[in-house]
Structure formats: structure tokens, C-alpha cells
Amino acid sequence: MIVDVVLGVVIGAAALGAVLTALSVRVVQQFQRGVVFRFGKVRSEVRAPGLVVLMPVADRIRRVNVQIVTMPVPAQEGITRDNVTVRVDAVVYFRVADPVRATINVQDYQFAISQVAQTSLRSIIGKSELDDLLANREPLNQGLELMLDSPAMGWGVEIDRVEIKDVALPESMKRSMARQAEADRERRARIITADGEYQASKQLSEAASIMSKTPAALQLRLLQTVVEVAAEKNSTLVLPFPVELLRFLDSATRTHEDRREDRREDRREELADRRAPSPAAESPAAGAPAAEVPGQEALVLDLPLPPIPPVAPVPPVAPVPPGTPSPVSGTSVNGSGTARQ
């Protein structure tokens, strides 16, 4: 009888010990930290990962995850500093640095971080310009991280990094930016094309100066072009005609035309000289007007006339006496001066 009672007491004590042990032993995972509350008051010592022994009935433990949490920030719509309506979303990476403060100072630290991230993102949108949101996001990410880190330190949360994910633009703004980008690409294409043509013209100018010194180089270049075209096995062969040959023919034609024109001028001058009257023909009729040739203009010569020589006086004729025989045979001169047979 006594043995049965003792055995029952031992079994009950063992069962009670097992129950108390089950109530006092807890396991903390490697990625967790344990915050112990004894009679509702937090203990300053944070329990490390592993097997944790608690005081039965008096202690309560709360496990806190210390892994990095990735929390997306909902898209926020705002107006940038240059008056453009955009929708921006972001992502926040944070972890619990102090499990005690994360448990005591804030009811739900994840919800608190989410709300602060949304308000900070709206503030960043209003302070930034559209170009910064699209192309210069690193300073904005750093500014957003500073704005989140200030209240998060009091909650025992450490902000690892914050990044802006996407910027949604209105359709009208997208079309305007597409037209602007297209115009800019066209401008750069024209500049590149003009630069290439300028460099090619310089090289061609140097090549032309070299070929002008050696005319055979132009013929060799022509033959090389013919060989390149004939290598394609085309039925039609286009033979380029040198421009220098055209210039040479043009200059030769002009020289021939100039010579013909000079000959025509010489002939006209020669005909004019032949048709002009000589000074000897003009002397008997010095006061008479010059005769004009029909169909031709009168040739006026402004030449000085030669001096007229003085005329010698004619001696008087002596009277012939009557009866004087005339030099002509068989005639005589009478007194009246008439000849009689």
C-alpha cells in the first residue's frame, strides 16, 4: 500500500516536472531574437538563438525577426517641381537592429515604416524635377533613405537602402518626349552626316591635288573603277567619264572659237582698209564730199592734208606777124590770126 502511494507521488512529481519543463523551455531560431517579459516587464537581456529556459508562469517570450525585410511602397501620384503629374513607386529594405525598441516603442514597425515611406516618397516627388526622376535617381534614393532613417532609429529599425522602382508618365507626356527624342536623334544624325561629308571632301581634295600632279593616276583610278564594276557580272557596264576631259574639250573649243573670232575681226579690218579712199584721190577734189559706197558707212579719216606747192606764172605769148608760115605745111596765118590753106 505504502509502495503504491510512493510510486504514485513519484510519477506525479515527474509529470509535474515534465509539464514545468515544457512550460519553461523555448527554442529561438537563428534569424530571431527573444525578448522576455517577466510579469509584464521587459527584460533588458535579449535571448540569443538556441534553447532558452524561462521561469514557468512568470516569463513570456516574444520572438523578433532580424532578417532584412523587403517592403514595396505603393505607387504615389504627385506633381513634380516642373509641373508634371507622375506616379512613382519604390521599395524599402530594412531590418530590426534593436528588438527591444522594435517591440516596445512601436506597435507594428512594418506598418509604420510603410506609412513613413509613402509620405517621404510624396515629398521627394514634389521637390524633384522630371529629369531627375528619370535619369538621376541616386541622389533621390539617398534623400529618401535619410528621410526614412530619422524616425526608424527610434523604433530600433535600420534602413538598409531605398530605391525608386518605376515612374509612370501620362500618355501625352510620353508622346512629347518621344518627339523630342526623335528630333534630337535626327539632329545628331545630320551633324554626323555633315561631319563625314566634310572629312570626305577634305580627303577627296587632297586626292585630287595629288592626281592633278600625275595625270596617269586618274586613268588608273578609272580602270580600277571599271574592274570593280565588272566584278559584279552585270549586263550593263557604266563607264564614268572624267570631268577633267570635259574641261579640256571645253577649253579647246573655246580656244578654237576665239581664233575664229580673231580671224573674222582681221578680215573686217582688212575690208575696211580696202574700202577707205586714199589721200591722192582726195587731193583734186579737196572741197568735194567723199563718195559713199552703198550699203557701207563712210570711212572718215582724220589725217592732215599735204601743203599745195605754188604754181609758176605762165609767160605771155608773142603775137604772130601776118604772113608767117605755120609750122604745119601748106598753111599760113592771116592778120586775123586764123589759118588759111
Side-chain angles (χ1 to χ4, degrees):
M1 185 70 179
I2 297 176
V3 175
D4 294 337
V5 173
V6 172
L7 184 58
V9 171
V10 171
I11 293 174
L16 180 61
V19 171
L20 293 178
T21 302
L23 293 176
S24 62
V25 176
R26 297 289 185 275
V27 177
V28 178
Q29 301 292 334
Q30 181 67 36
F31 56 86
Q32 294 175 343
R33 297 294 183 270
V35 179
V36 178
F37 291 88
R38 178 168 294 176
F39 295 109
K41 185 178 180 180
V42 66
R43 305 286 293 179
S44 60
E45 182 184 358
V46 178
R47 300 302 175 91
L51 189 62
V52 178
V53 179
L54 303 176
M55 183 180 294
V57 181
D59 291 346
R60 296 289 184 272
I61 188 171
R62 184 173 181 178
R63 299 176 181 86
V64 179
N65 193 338
V66 294
Q67 290 178 318
I68 293 179
V69 180
T70 303
M71 184 180 64
V73 180
Q76 303 297 313
E77 185 173 356
I79 300 177
T80 61
R81 192 166 60 180
D82 50 354
N83 300 325
V84 179
T85 303
V86 294
R87 290 179 59 87
V88 182
D89 57 353
V91 59
V92 181
Y93 301 90
F94 65 93
R95 58 183 295 271
V96 176
D98 190 349
V100 176
R101 284 190 296 177
T103 306
I104 302 301
N105 294 348
V106 62
Q107 183 180 5
D108 188 354
Y109 63 89
Q110 293 189 3
F111 180 74
I113 292 296
S114 175
Q115 296 301 313
V116 173
Q118 294 180 31
T119 56
S120 301
L121 183 59
R122 287 177 178 269
S123 178
I124 287 293
I125 292 173
K127 294 178 181 179
S128 305
E129 295 184 356
L130 180 61
D131 294 339
D132 296 335
L133 288 174
L134 296 176
N136 194 17
R137 296 184 181 181
E138 191 63 29
L140 301 182
N141 295 336
Q142 294 178 0
L144 189 58
E145 181 179 351
L146 291 176
M147 295 178 67
L148 288 175
D149 195 47
S150 178
M153 290 180 61
W155 300 335
V157 177
E158 179 184 355
I159 304 298
D160 186 70
R161 61 188 304 176
V162 182
E163 290 186 358
I164 296 175
K165 290 174 58 179
D166 186 25
V167 179
L169 299 176
E171 293 298 329
S172 59
M173 179 59 64
K174 290 181 181 179
R175 290 192 295 268
S176 300
M177 294 178 66
R179 289 194 298 268
Q180 180 182 0
E182 184 179 0
D184 184 65
R185 287 193 297 268
E186 185 177 357
R187 178 184 62 85
R188 286 183 293 177
R190 290 183 178 180
I191 292 175
I192 293 173
T193 303
D195 189 19
E197 291 180 356
Y198 173 71
Q199 295 180 4
S201 62
K202 290 182 62 177
Q203 297 295 331
L204 290 175
S205 177
E206 295 178 0
S209 61
I210 295 175
M211 287 185 178
S212 62
K213 297 178 182 178
T214 55
L218 182 60
Q219 186 66 22
L220 293 176
R221 179 59 182 168
L222 177 59
L223 295 176
Q224 182 181 0
T225 305
V226 172
V227 171
E228 292 177 357
V229 174
E232 298 180 359
K233 299 180 180 179
N234 294 328
S235 59
T236 303
L237 179 61
V238 179
L239 182 63
F241 199 76
V243 180
E244 286 75 8
L245 184 56
L246 294 176
R247 293 177 180 174
F248 173 75
L249 295 177
D250 187 18
S251 61
T253 306
R254 290 183 179 179
T255 305
H256 183 65
E257 292 292 336
D258 294 341
R259 292 177 180 175
R260 292 180 61 182
E261 190 66 26
D262 293 340
R263 292 176 182 176
R264 290 175 183 176
E265 292 293 336
D266 295 340
R267 290 179 181 178
R268 291 175 184 174
E269 293 178 0
E270 184 178 355
L271 292 175
D273 293 340
R274 291 179 180 179
R275 293 173 181 175
S278 60
E282 291 181 356
S283 58
E292 295 183 359
V293 180
Q296 298 290 336
E297 296 181 357
L299 181 62
V300 180
L301 300 177
D302 190 8
L303 298 176
L305 297 176
I308 301 174
V311 181
V314 181
V317 181
V320 180
T324 303
S326 175
V328 183
S329 61
T331 60
S332 61
V333 180
N334 56 11
S336 61
T338 61
R340 183 174 58 84
Q341 186 69 27

